[in-house]
Amino acid sequence: MLSRRGLKRLYGVTLTLTLLLSLLSAAALGIVLSDRLSAPLGVLAEGTRAVASGDFSQRAAVDSHDELGALMQSFNAMTLQLTEARAQAERHQAALAQAKAYLESVLANLSAGVLAFDEELNLRAANRSAGVILGVDVAPLMGVAVARWSGPGAGLAELGRQIAAAFERAGGTEWEQQVERPLHGRMQLLLLRGTRLPQGSAAGSVVVFDDITHLAEAQRAAAWAEVARRLAHEIRNPLTPIQLSAERLQMKLAGKLAETDAEVLTRSTQTIVNQVAALKNMVDAFSQYARTPEPSLRELDLNALIREVLTLYEPSLGGAVRLELAAGLPPLMGDAAQLRQVMHNLLQNTQDALAGTREPRIIIASEAAGGMVRLTVTDNGCGFPESVMRRAFEPYVTTKPKGTGLGLAIVKKIVEEHGGTVTIANVQPRGACVTIQLPVAAQVAARKPSMVQSKV
């Protein structure tokens, strides 16, 4: 009885231990299997977090061919595609940035001005040349409708109104227009071309313009030179026969007429001779303007040239002239004969301007400035009328009753052929100032060594 109970207890303990051992084994096996099953999911979760943070380089190792293996392969393919897509996007972005930088560089270095507007003609962009040509800072105009432009200078608002009107007239077609506006005391001529951009994200309008003032002046000068050449040719031929015929009539008829008629004949003949002489002077001016010879450049001293020319005007100008010539002025490259003519024209104009002035005063100054020699002739005469200031260098523009209007035109032509510039201005309270700048010999020699010749 006792023995049977012990055996039953022994069997019970044995079965219990066996059961516990089986349960522990099953739990351990479950843990191992779950770790093996969840490990790919953990790798996938880590890779997903890396992709979410922008790291597409994560690649999960595929060790099985079941559903988890297929999922890992799909994840790897996705990250590879994302990597390629990002690389392609970066290449496109770099190409876009390079194209934008190239376009900005082209626009920035373009000599023509470019203005870009939105659909309501509000200014969106402008290149550097636009501000340079217009002589204004375009930054305050950004976002402002072209019809409401304002700023320093009387011409900016009018320019904006003309651009707006041109777009309104043209509708959706291209247009071209020349606009004249005042700038720094002169009239600036602009050639504008406008067009509408295609509809879309970049819809709007573009205006491209350039300053053609110098081109127009050159065309006018060439046309006037041709007119002067033809006039000189047509007028010169009959002048001498007219004069000789008048003198011959006086010689033949003076002794055969009554005293009163002889006086009328003498006065008439003298009038003809005087007018013929005036016409000859005009023809000479025409010829001089039409065929200015090519300058023969040599080194010369501008101060010495000024003093040489002034000796011819001492009897008429007397003590009215004050010289302010800079000592040690560098020599310039020029044609002495043509530059003498420039001085003669300036001094003659000054003499005419000082007519009727109680205390006439002329200041002739020279100085070196930035590789140039500057000559200024200032007087306290009547100055330039405002109506003449903008066209003073055009041929046949004059305020003198008997002037041809070629003096300043010839001065400008000679100075520009010497590589210089000439400007005029009125001075306060009364008078005018003509400023001429010519390159020094060293500057010319640096560009054209063969032009350096012996000093005059």
Side-chain angles (χ1 to χ4, degrees), residues 16-37:
T16 300
L17 290 175
T18 302
L19 179 61
L20 290 175
L21 183 60
S22 298
L23 290 174
L24 289 174
S25 298
L29 181 61
I31 292 173
V32 171
L33 291 177
S34 66
D35 287 342
R36 291 187 62 183
L37 290 174

Short mmCIF file of all heavy atoms in Angstrom, two decimals, residues 16-37:
data_model
loop_
_atom_site.label_atom_id
_atom_site.label_comp_id
_atom_site.label_asym_id
_atom_site.label_seq_id
_atom_site.Cartn_x
_atom_site.Cartn_y
_atom_site.Cartn_z
N THR A 16 5.17 15.77 -13.99
CA THR A 16 5.10 17.25 -13.82
C THR A 16 6.37 17.89 -14.34
O THR A 16 6.36 18.90 -15.04
CB THR A 16 4.89 17.60 -12.35
OG1 THR A 16 3.65 17.00 -11.90
CG2 THR A 16 4.86 19.09 -12.14
N LEU A 17 7.51 17.30 -13.97
CA LEU A 17 8.78 17.86 -14.45
C LEU A 17 8.87 17.78 -15.97
O LEU A 17 9.37 18.71 -16.64
CB LEU A 17 9.95 17.08 -13.82
CG LEU A 17 10.15 17.30 -12.30
CD1 LEU A 17 11.24 16.40 -11.77
CD2 LEU A 17 10.49 18.77 -12.03
N THR A 18 8.38 16.61 -16.48
CA THR A 18 8.40 16.47 -17.95
C THR A 18 7.54 17.53 -18.61
O THR A 18 7.90 18.13 -19.64
CB THR A 18 7.93 15.07 -18.34
OG1 THR A 18 8.77 14.09 -17.71
CG2 THR A 18 7.97 14.87 -19.85
N LEU A 19 6.36 17.78 -18.02
CA LEU A 19 5.46 18.80 -18.58
C LEU A 19 6.09 20.18 -18.51
O LEU A 19 6.04 20.97 -19.47
CB LEU A 19 4.13 18.75 -17.81
CG LEU A 19 3.09 19.77 -18.27
CD1 LEU A 19 2.71 19.55 -19.73
CD2 LEU A 19 1.83 19.66 -17.37
N LEU A 20 6.68 20.47 -17.33
CA LEU A 20 7.32 21.80 -17.19
C LEU A 20 8.46 21.97 -18.18
O LEU A 20 8.65 23.03 -18.79
CB LEU A 20 7.83 21.97 -15.76
CG LEU A 20 6.75 22.14 -14.68
CD1 LEU A 20 7.41 22.17 -13.29
CD2 LEU A 20 5.95 23.40 -14.91
N LEU A 21 9.24 20.88 -18.34
CA LEU A 21 10.35 20.95 -19.28
C LEU A 21 9.83 21.14 -20.70
O LEU A 21 10.39 21.91 -21.49
CB LEU A 21 11.18 19.65 -19.20
CG LEU A 21 12.44 19.61 -20.09
CD1 LEU A 21 13.39 20.74 -19.72
CD2 LEU A 21 13.13 18.27 -19.95
N SER A 22 8.73 20.51 -21.03
CA SER A 22 8.14 20.66 -22.37
C SER A 22 7.65 22.09 -22.57
O SER A 22 7.83 22.71 -23.64
CB SER A 22 6.99 19.67 -22.56
OG SER A 22 7.46 18.35 -22.46
N LEU A 23 7.01 22.63 -21.50
CA LEU A 23 6.51 24.00 -21.62
C LEU A 23 7.66 25.00 -21.81
O LEU A 23 7.59 25.92 -22.62
CB LEU A 23 5.68 24.36 -20.38
CG LEU A 23 4.33 23.66 -20.25
CD1 LEU A 23 3.68 23.99 -18.91
CD2 LEU A 23 3.42 24.08 -21.39
N LEU A 24 8.75 24.80 -20.99
CA LEU A 24 9.91 25.70 -21.11
C LEU A 24 10.55 25.58 -22.49
O LEU A 24 10.95 26.58 -23.11
CB LEU A 24 10.92 25.38 -20.02
CG LEU A 24 10.50 25.75 -18.60
CD1 LEU A 24 11.53 25.26 -17.58
CD2 LEU A 24 10.34 27.26 -18.46
N SER A 25 10.63 24.35 -22.99
CA SER A 25 11.22 24.15 -24.32
C SER A 25 10.38 24.83 -25.40
O SER A 25 10.89 25.46 -26.34
CB SER A 25 11.37 22.66 -24.62
OG SER A 25 12.23 22.07 -23.68
N ALA A 26 9.03 24.67 -25.26
CA ALA A 26 8.14 25.29 -26.25
C ALA A 26 8.25 26.80 -26.20
O ALA A 26 8.26 27.49 -27.24
CB ALA A 26 6.71 24.85 -25.99
N ALA A 27 8.35 27.34 -24.96
CA ALA A 27 8.47 28.81 -24.84
C ALA A 27 9.77 29.30 -25.43
O ALA A 27 9.83 30.31 -26.15
CB ALA A 27 8.37 29.22 -23.36
N ALA A 28 10.88 28.56 -25.14
CA ALA A 28 12.18 28.96 -25.70
C ALA A 28 12.15 28.89 -27.20
O ALA A 28 12.67 29.77 -27.92
CB ALA A 28 13.27 28.08 -25.13
N LEU A 29 11.55 27.81 -27.73
CA LEU A 29 11.47 27.68 -29.18
C LEU A 29 10.63 28.79 -29.78
O LEU A 29 10.97 29.36 -30.83
CB LEU A 29 10.88 26.30 -29.52
CG LEU A 29 10.74 26.00 -31.02
CD1 LEU A 29 12.11 26.02 -31.70
CD2 LEU A 29 10.05 24.64 -31.22
N GLY A 30 9.55 29.16 -29.07
CA GLY A 30 8.71 30.27 -29.57
C GLY A 30 9.46 31.58 -29.60
O GLY A 30 9.32 32.39 -30.53
N ILE A 31 10.27 31.79 -28.53
CA ILE A 31 11.04 33.05 -28.49
C ILE A 31 12.06 33.10 -29.63
O ILE A 31 12.22 34.12 -30.30
CB ILE A 31 11.73 33.19 -27.13
CG1 ILE A 31 10.68 33.40 -26.02
CG2 ILE A 31 12.74 34.32 -27.14
CD1 ILE A 31 11.24 33.39 -24.62
N VAL A 32 12.73 31.96 -29.83
CA VAL A 32 13.74 31.93 -30.91
C VAL A 32 13.09 32.14 -32.26
O VAL A 32 13.58 32.92 -33.10
CB VAL A 32 14.50 30.59 -30.86
CG1 VAL A 32 15.37 30.43 -32.10
CG2 VAL A 32 15.32 30.48 -29.59
N LEU A 33 11.96 31.45 -32.47
CA LEU A 33 11.28 31.61 -33.77
C LEU A 33 10.76 33.03 -33.97
O LEU A 33 10.80 33.57 -35.08
CB LEU A 33 10.13 30.59 -33.85
CG LEU A 33 10.55 29.11 -33.96
CD1 LEU A 33 9.32 28.21 -33.96
CD2 LEU A 33 11.36 28.89 -35.25
N SER A 34 10.22 33.62 -32.87
CA SER A 34 9.71 34.99 -33.00
C SER A 34 10.83 35.97 -33.30
O SER A 34 10.65 36.92 -34.07
CB SER A 34 8.96 35.40 -31.72
OG SER A 34 9.87 35.47 -30.62
N ASP A 35 12.02 35.74 -32.65
CA ASP A 35 13.16 36.62 -32.96
C ASP A 35 13.56 36.49 -34.42
O ASP A 35 13.87 37.49 -35.09
CB ASP A 35 14.35 36.28 -32.06
CG ASP A 35 14.13 36.76 -30.62
OD1 ASP A 35 13.24 37.63 -30.43
OD2 ASP A 35 14.84 36.29 -29.72
N ARG A 36 13.57 35.29 -34.92
CA ARG A 36 13.96 35.09 -36.32
C ARG A 36 12.94 35.72 -37.27
O ARG A 36 13.29 36.25 -38.32
CB ARG A 36 14.11 33.61 -36.62
CG ARG A 36 15.31 32.94 -35.92
CD ARG A 36 15.48 31.52 -36.40
NE ARG A 36 15.75 31.48 -37.84
CZ ARG A 36 15.88 30.34 -38.53
NH1 ARG A 36 15.75 29.17 -37.91
NH2 ARG A 36 16.13 30.38 -39.81
N LEU A 37 11.64 35.64 -36.87
CA LEU A 37 10.61 36.21 -37.72
C LEU A 37 10.57 37.74 -37.64
O LEU A 37 10.31 38.43 -38.64
CB LEU A 37 9.24 35.63 -37.34
CG LEU A 37 9.01 34.17 -37.69
CD1 LEU A 37 7.67 33.69 -37.12
CD2 LEU A 37 9.02 33.97 -39.20
#
